[in-house]
Amino acid sequence: MTNQTSVTEFRLLGFSDIRELQILHFLVFLFAYVAALMGNFLIIVLVTLDHHLHSPMYFFLKNMSFLDLCYISATVPKSMVNAIMQRHSISFHGCFLQLFFFIMFGTAELALLTVMAYDRYLAICSPLRYSTVMNSKACVQMAAGSWLSGALYSVLHVGNSFSLPFCGPNFVHQFFCDIPPLLQLSCSDTQPNKVHNIVLALCYGFICFIFIFVSYIHIFNTVVRIPSAEGRYKAFSTCLPHLIVVSLFVGTGFFMYMKPNSRAPSTQDMLVPVLYAVVPPVLNPIIYSLRNKEIKAALRKVKRQGWNMATYFQ
């Protein structure tokens, strides 16, 4: 941040100035936030309590659920407060922190999805080495590496953007502090910063994509050689939720950051960030639980235990 920076706060314009639409905005985001909290917290509880789920795959799934809780909490609660209270301001440093945590949790989740692809590769392609390579120490180190890489990336990405001077105006055409609309507010040439951010994002994303792509090439080559149809289905079913989550998470984020910036904010510019900031944390628990027999069995066990306890205390 330089001495030229005179902006002390930003104004998050949100979706509409009409009161009825602001209330609708609050209710929709409240529903999404509660759904994300319940779904991800349920997965964390189930994996923690059920010893049948104490495996590397579910350890990483529990970490991803926690990341999803942090990810959606970085933006949605502030947006709900702004909508219901008709307040749109966020301090300069508050904007910086919101963007830092949003990008940190998002990139950490991408790194964790890459680790989960490697986990599936070992489980399907090298099952005899799986328990040796994916021991508890290695799993903790991989999860910690995902968090650290996300934090480092966020420092480089956000620091580069907030080193620019902001002299006004301060109206962010978004429901949270995001880099594309913030760069449009700087009173200096932002082209080098845009190039820096794109190169950084492409390098980080390319490394993760290559690891995921190569892992699944080996996985598919192994799966098609499985003699029984049931074995092929079982192997592929453990990978399908991960592929759906990767496609949803990467596709929407890539579309937003790679598309040309329009001079005038459009409805698309406002709605697309919902797809990568709000939708993935809501859908991820559903995607991972719908086709997962172990998660369903653990949930049924918890329900039975809760019913038995309720009957006991009556």
Side-chain angles (χ1 to χ4, degrees):
M1 291 175 283
T2 68
N3 292 331
Q4 290 176 288
T5 298
S6 59
V7 171
T8 59
E9 68 174 21
F10 291 102
R11 304 279 293 176
L12 302 174
L13 295 187
F15 297 97
S16 175
D17 291 329
I18 301 173
R19 186 56 182 162
E20 289 77 9
L21 293 180
Q22 289 176 337
I23 295 174
L24 178 63
H25 167 193
F26 171 80
L27 293 175
V28 171
F29 271 37
L30 177 63
F31 173 80
Y33 189 57
V34 171
L37 288 180
M38 292 178 61
N40 287 289
F41 184 71
L42 181 60
I43 287 182
I44 293 172
V45 170
L46 291 177
V47 174
T48 301
L49 295 181
D50 195 324
H51 69 277
H52 293 102
L53 302 181
H54 290 178
S55 65
M57 182 177 74
Y58 292 107
F59 170 78
F60 294 130
L61 179 58
K62 182 169 72 171
N63 272 269
M64 193 180 76
S65 292
F66 183 69
L67 272 172
D68 276 334
L69 289 178
C70 298
Y71 182 66
I72 196 170
S73 296
T75 57
V76 168
K78 174 65 176 175
S79 181
M80 289 193 300
V81 170
N82 286 347
I84 200 67
M85 301 296 293
Q86 293 186 296
R87 290 200 318 241
H88 302 285
S89 63
I90 183 171
S91 69
F92 185 90
H93 294 96
C95 185
F96 173 86
L97 288 175
Q98 184 184 64
L99 184 57
F100 171 80
F101 287 119
F102 174 73
I103 292 181
M104 184 185 80
F105 296 134
T107 49
E109 181 162 337
L110 178 58
L112 192 63
L113 288 170
T114 306
V115 170
M116 293 171 76
Y118 177 66
D119 171 76
R120 292 298 83 208
Y121 157 74
L122 284 176
I124 295 173
C125 302
S126 302
L128 297 179
R129 297 175 51 226
Y130 183 74
S131 59
T132 303
V133 177
M134 300 300 289
N135 55 67
S136 57
K137 182 179 179 181
C139 290
V140 171
Q141 289 174 341
M142 291 179 185
S146 299
W147 282 82
L148 289 174
S149 67
L152 178 60
Y153 177 89
S154 187
V155 167
L156 296 174
H157 208 67
V158 179
N160 174 67
S161 299
F162 274 84
S163 64
L164 293 168
F166 294 91
C167 311
N170 64 344
F171 294 97
V172 180
H173 293 273
Q174 195 48 269
F175 69 90
F176 68 100
C177 289
D178 203 2
I179 284 180
L182 282 172
L183 289 180
Q184 295 179 347
L185 300 181
S186 176
C187 50
S188 67
D189 179 22
T190 61
Q191 192 59 35
N193 300 77
K194 291 179 181 178
V195 172
H196 173 276
N197 288 341
I198 290 174
V199 170
L200 190 63
L202 287 177
C203 289
Y204 191 93
F206 181 75
I207 292 172
C208 293
F209 176 78
I210 287 298
F211 270 98
I212 294 173
F213 181 76
V214 171
S215 296
Y216 273 101
I217 288 294
H218 287 290
I219 288 172
F220 290 140
N221 285 337
T222 302
V223 168
V224 295
R225 292 199 300 267
I226 297 176
S228 68
E230 183 180 353
R232 290 193 297 270
Y233 174 79
K234 183 177 180 181
F236 186 71
S237 64
T238 64
C239 302
L240 185 59
H242 180 261
L243 281 172
I244 295 173
V245 169
V246 169
S247 302
L248 175 67
F249 189 77
V250 175
T252 53
F254 182 85
F255 175 78
M256 180 61 184
Y257 280 90
M258 293 298 108
K259 73 178 183 66
N261 290 328
S262 56
R263 293 184 178 274
S266 64
T267 304
Q268 183 188 75
D269 295 328
M270 298 292 293
L271 293 179
V272 169
V274 176
L275 295 179
Y276 66 83
V278 181
V279 174
V282 176
L283 291 185
N284 286 354
I286 300 173
I287 293 170
Y288 271 102
S289 60
L290 281 179
R291 298 177 60 88
N292 193 300
K293 295 180 180 178
E294 288 82 4
I295 292 285
K296 291 179 180 178
L299 182 58
R300 286 194 295 268
K301 186 185 299 184
V302 169
K303 286 181 178 179
R304 285 197 302 268
Q305 291 174 348
W307 174 259
N308 291 337
M309 289 183 65
T311 305
Y312 177 79
F313 283 108
Q314 283 180 355

